[in-house]
Amino acid sequence: MSAPHVGAAPVRDHRRWHRGQGPLLQSHMLVHALRVVTPAQAADTLYLYNWNNYISDATIARFEARCRCRVVQDYYSDNEEMLAKLAAGASGYDLIVPTGNAVEALIRSKQLRPIDRARLPNLKNIKPEFLDTRFDPGNRYSVPYAYTVTLIGYNEQKLRALGLPTDSWALIFEPKYLKKIKGRVTVLDSQRELMAAAMRYLGHSINDTDEARWRRARDLILRAKPYWAAFNASSYIKELTIGNIWVAHGYSNDMFQARQDALRAGRPFSIGYSIPKEGAVLALDSMVLHRTGRHPDLAHRFIDFMLEGANSAELTNLIGSGNPNRDALRYIRREIADNPAVFPDAEHLKRLEMMRDLDRRSRRVLNRIWTEIKLR
Amino acid sequence: MSGKPDPRHTRPRGARLTKWVVTAPPTLFLLAFFLAPALIVLVASFQYPGEFGGLAPITNPGDGREHGLTLENYAFFFSDFLFAEIFVKSFTVAALSTLACLVLAYPVAWLIARSPRHHRDLLVLLVILPFASNFLIRVYAWMIILGPQQAVAQAVNGVLALFGLAPVNLLFSPFAVLVGMVYVHLPFMILPLYTNLEKHDPVLLDAAQDLGANAWRRFWRVTWPLSLPGVFSGSALVFIPVLGMFAVPDILGGTRDMLIGNLIKDQFLGVRDWPFGAALSILLTLAVLVLAGLAAWAARPRGAT
């Protein structure tokens, strides 16, 4: 009894805001749901259902030129929205790019077409640590695309001046550090993400569902909460960029954007980000073939195309996403490639975990704990 | 062809037809878009959560999945005081917002109603002008206005410093939530009050003055009682939407500003617990109905006064 994509929504909550989607615009999902793609339109058209802003226009143009076909994209801003649209009967998508736990949901509800690995010579480019995941053992259905890490972004000058550590969750959980940055800290407004950070800090797995441990994590959070400004999934990029907030718990892509924005705005400070040494959440997005897609050949060609280093690197250069492709590294801009928060070393990588879904009973236990956290 | 129509019959039938044609669309609209969804929510509140989100089936699907109806969702609500506490808090915030709206809106509505007739339309237009821009953008604007580096916060903290008090954060606080709620809902209080106050006959006030009533007495004994219907409808238009609002606490609230709207939203968009979200919605609706009933009972006409 579990709903494999339950953890997915919080992971992607930020995208709803930062990829051109207002939080109250859920109704466009319905509009999409009613617009069923008719595959008969063209035999040489690839229907790609992707995150907002999750592929470079140049990449699309190059693929279209090579395959002499057209790529039609539809967009979603969180996994749940995508799953709901498919559940409402949308069909005809050849390719989708869901996060791990949503991949698991799609596999378990038998919506995916197996991958033909013989047609993906470039699959060898994927680093082995991103293959054979728990959500798709043996990669029968999914091919890694890109990833984000949930970490800490911070104002480099302020934190250096205050002499605070930036490599540990202690920064957002320990009152002895927090009292120097009271009211200047935001944490993600997400049950799973915040609990994951607290659980890692306490030395547990993010997927541990032991209630006593959750309660200790709750106590840790409640002790730190008076020092936080807000639970924030929507505006921490801006708050970091203008200097209102000095420390934010958030996603690596967002921190990349905050850093770029602060640079471009010529701020007297810069935004840094790093993965806490205790470990963190890694959200891996993978390409999957939907069962209703009419162009599996073209879809395989697209996957193999995206597995080429140069094409894969383009996305990382655009949004600062993590890249599981070995061959991509040489095309990635130096300042991104050298950033250990985007490309963690083996030591850090070992402590990154992918989120698994909770069964409904655990969800309620966590829900109650979360409500308590929010209220107290 | 049955000859000329009998006017005695056609007219009532025509009137009936007109009445039917006029009332059917709104009735159907309410049935389809209010009653039916409300019933769906009611049923959902007794169902189990579905495996991939949504709802578990009511009838046995035959594959061992959880199904049927349950009281579990309500039991979860009443299992401790936590969720009820959020209800109490939300009603308090809604009451405070309504009160603040009333205090701010009354003078504005009164001024508009007393201004020269040819100005009134323009003034009413100005009141509703903010609706021309998106609600979220206006709330985000408050985020900038209340930010720690802006004039408002600087001024407040400057004054606090004069008295030797520590600076405060305006943004991400219960205060910011209240400001947002009042700002968003103020027009909904001004408009019913204005339409009510505009209809008052100024002769009544003259009569009261002739009988020796001072300005306060004229207001308290004449204008205020006459304006009560406007006060009630304005209050309802503010109180109920504030109860369900989740965007304002999300954007402007701090670490303790979860309201019932946020809790319900989380059930659907965050944690995929539709049945519990449905149960919360039903309980909220019941609470509002009880409150409305109490208000009607308190405001019932008493005796022959």
Side-chain angles (χ1 to χ4, degrees):
Chain A
M1 288 293 115
S2 84
H5 49 274
V6 69
V11 176
R12 297 307 184 183
D13 243 347
H14 64 302
R15 308 210 191 212
R16 208 181 304 147
W17 301 73
H18 294 302
R19 295 189 173 188
Q21 307 284 322
L24 301 181
L25 299 180
Q26 292 298 312
S27 60
H28 82 275
M29 188 185 91
L30 187 70
V31 176
H32 275 305
L34 296 173
R35 206 183 81 205
V36 176
V37 174
T38 48
Q41 275 171 347
D44 52 353
T45 302
L46 180 77
Y47 292 92
L48 171 61
Y49 192 23
N50 197 1
W51 294 94
N52 298 308
N53 188 28
Y54 213 37
I55 191 165
S56 154
D57 291 341
T59 313
I60 292 271
R62 207 171 317 119
F63 180 70
E64 287 181 330
R66 186 187 294 184
C67 73
R68 289 201 202 83
C69 65
R70 230 155 50 85
V71 176
V72 174
Q73 274 198 92
D74 260 353
Y75 307 97
Y76 52 91
S77 48
D78 78 48
N79 283 306
E80 230 177 301
E81 176 191 339
M82 178 268 299
L83 290 168
K85 181 175 167 184
L86 293 175
S91 63
Y93 291 121
D94 299 304
L95 264 175
I96 311 176
V97 193
T99 310
N101 35 8
V103 170
E104 193 178 349
L106 289 169
I107 293 173
R108 289 182 48 192
S109 53
K110 301 188 171 58
Q111 294 192 57
L112 299 185
R113 197 191 286 269
I115 300 270
D116 183 358
R117 300 178 70 156
R119 290 153 80 180
L120 303 176
N122 289 323
L123 191 61
K124 63 177 188 329
N125 290 341
I126 297 292
K127 297 177 194 164
E129 54 266 42
F130 293 97
L131 292 172
D132 198 20
T133 56
R134 286 174 68 180
F135 60 81
D136 181 20
N139 284 80
R140 291 187 55 220
Y141 298 97
S142 66
V143 177
Y145 182 81
Y147 63 86
T148 57
V149 181
T150 315
L151 38 61
I152 296 177
Y154 52 88
N155 186 312
E156 289 181 317
Q157 283 68 26
K158 283 281 179 203
L159 265 79
R160 201 175 304 135
L162 294 168
L164 295 173
T166 55
D167 63 342
S168 165
W169 290 119
L171 183 60
I172 65 166
F173 288 128
E174 284 301 336
K176 67 175 172 187
Y177 300 134
L178 284 169
K179 66 183 182 214
K180 294 187 187 170
I181 45 176
K182 187 168 190 229
R184 302 292 193 167
V185 182
T186 65
V187 294
L188 281 173
D189 191 5
S190 156
Q191 302 188 0
R192 291 298 306 277
E193 288 286 2
L194 189 57
M195 282 304 267
M199 290 293 273
R200 288 305 311 196
Y201 184 59
L202 294 174
H204 308 306
S205 160
I206 65 166
N207 294 313
D208 194 329
T209 56
D210 182 78
E211 203 179 326
R213 286 177 179 167
W214 270 352
R215 277 203 291 271
R216 278 198 294 280
R218 172 201 65 192
D219 295 340
L220 180 73
I221 290 168
L222 283 177
R223 196 180 56 162
K225 202 177 89 153
Y227 299 95
W228 297 340
F231 293 99
N232 191 324
S234 57
S235 53
Y236 63 84
I237 299 181
K238 189 202 84 191
E239 297 292 319
L240 272 175
T241 308
I242 60 181
N244 285 347
I245 290 297
W246 302 339
V247 173
H249 167 223
Y251 302 100
S252 50
N253 294 358
D254 287 351
M255 299 309 173
F256 172 80
Q257 194 193 327
R259 184 180 172 82
Q260 302 273 92
D261 289 355
L263 267 176
R264 277 194 207 118
R267 300 280 173 190
F269 54 81
S270 54
I271 305 301
Y273 50 111
S274 55
I275 300 174
K277 59 180 181 227
E278 296 88 359
V281 177
L282 178 129
L284 178 65
D285 295 326
S286 299
M287 295 175 275
V288 298
L289 305 176
H290 198 251
R291 193 164 276 289
T292 63
R294 300 290 183 88
H295 315 98
D297 290 336
L298 202 52
H300 276 94
R301 285 179 67 188
F302 182 82
I303 293 176
D304 203 49
F305 172 83
M306 285 312 295
L307 288 171
E308 285 174 23
N311 302 324
S312 179
E314 227 155 22
L315 177 70
T316 297
N317 287 332
L318 182 71
I319 65 166
S321 58
N323 199 314
N325 194 311
R326 217 176 349 221
D327 188 47
L329 211 55
R330 57 199 166 110
Y331 302 100
I332 291 172
R333 295 208 317 257
R334 270 299 290 277
E335 76 260 30
I336 304 175
D338 291 346
N339 188 339
V342 183
F343 293 97
D345 55 32
E347 194 58 29
H348 277 86
L349 200 60
K350 259 195 305 202
R351 297 198 203 101
L352 296 181
E353 286 185 273
M354 294 183 209
M355 216 178 260
R356 305 265 303 169
D357 285 301
L358 300 177
D359 64 36
R360 71 174 189 83
R361 270 165 239 286
S362 302
R363 264 188 278 158
R364 278 220 171 145
V365 173
L366 183 59
N367 197 4
R368 205 207 148 281
I369 288 176
W370 179 252
T371 309
E372 206 179 333
I373 287 172
K374 280 295 194 76
L375 199 61
R376 299 282 174 250
Chain B
M1 295 297 110
S2 59
K4 69 170 182 153
D6 182 345
R8 276 177 310 174
H9 283 124
T10 49
R11 205 174 294 139
R13 200 169 64 204
R16 265 208 311 277
L17 188 71
T18 313
K19 194 174 147 200
W20 190 86
V21 166
V22 170
T23 57
T27 309
L28 286 176
F29 184 89
L30 283 177
L31 286 177
F33 296 110
F34 178 73
L35 189 63
L39 289 176
I40 292 172
V41 173
L42 184 66
V43 174
S45 74
F46 292 101
Q47 284 180 257
Y48 290 102
E51 194 175 356
F52 301 106
L55 302 165
I58 297 178
T59 55
N60 192 345
D63 53 7
R65 269 188 293 159
E66 205 163 23
H67 62 274
L69 297 173
T70 175
L71 287 171
E72 202 179 79
N73 307 312
Y74 291 95
F76 184 50
F77 180 90
F78 291 107
S79 60
D80 64 298
F81 193 62
L82 188 66
F83 298 110
E85 212 176 311
I86 292 194
F87 267 69
V88 170
K89 193 172 153 201
S90 305
F91 276 88
T92 311
V93 169
L96 282 174
S97 306
T98 310
L99 192 67
C101 277
L102 181 62
V103 169
L104 292 172
Y106 208 102
V108 178
W110 190 82
L111 276 173
I112 299 176
R114 287 290 155 275
S115 56
R117 185 166 290 278
H118 57 280
H119 284 164
R120 285 184 212 166
D121 288 344
L122 178 69
L123 291 171
V124 169
L125 185 73
L126 289 177
V127 169
I128 58 175
L129 198 62
F131 290 121
S133 68
N134 182 285
F135 149 81
L136 279 177
I137 291 173
R138 289 181 283 134
V139 177
Y140 272 115
W142 275 104
M143 209 171 163
I144 296 168
I145 295 169
L146 296 173
Q149 296 168 3
Q150 304 302 319
V152 180
Q154 301 278 2
V156 168
N157 285 326
V159 172
L160 285 178
L162 288 181
F163 295 97
L165 296 170
V168 293
N169 254 335
L170 298 183
L171 185 61
F172 302 140
S173 68
F175 169 76
V177 174
L178 200 62
V179 167
M181 292 289 198
V182 170
Y183 166 73
V184 169
H185 295 96
L186 197 57
F188 297 106
M189 185 65 95
I190 294 177
L191 294 178
L193 277 176
Y194 159 72
T195 43
N196 174 285
L197 290 171
E198 193 201 19
K199 291 196 206 89
H200 290 196
D201 190 342
V203 173
L204 291 173
L205 292 177
D206 293 343
Q209 192 167 20
D210 291 346
L211 291 170
N214 62 19
W216 169 248
R217 255 177 107 75
R218 288 200 299 276
F219 170 75
W220 188 238
R221 299 296 296 273
V222 180
T223 308
W224 174 253
L226 284 173
S227 69
L228 280 179
V231 171
F232 286 138
S233 52
S235 299
L237 285 178
V238 173
F239 188 85
I240 293 171
V242 169
L243 264 186
M245 175 67 73
F246 61 83
V248 170
D250 258 4
I251 297 171
L252 299 174
T255 51
R256 302 188 56 174
D257 293 313
M258 180 190 241
L259 297 180
I260 186 69
N262 305 82
L263 185 63
I264 294 176
K265 186 203 85 171
D266 274 358
Q267 305 313 307
F268 289 95
L269 296 181
V271 299
R272 295 232 136 204
D273 198 338
W274 292 18
F276 187 54
L280 287 171
S281 307
I282 294 293
L283 289 169
L284 179 62
T285 311
L286 284 180
V288 170
L289 286 178
V290 166
L291 204 72
L294 282 177
W297 178 78
R300 74 196 185 281
R302 265 159 285 199
T305 37

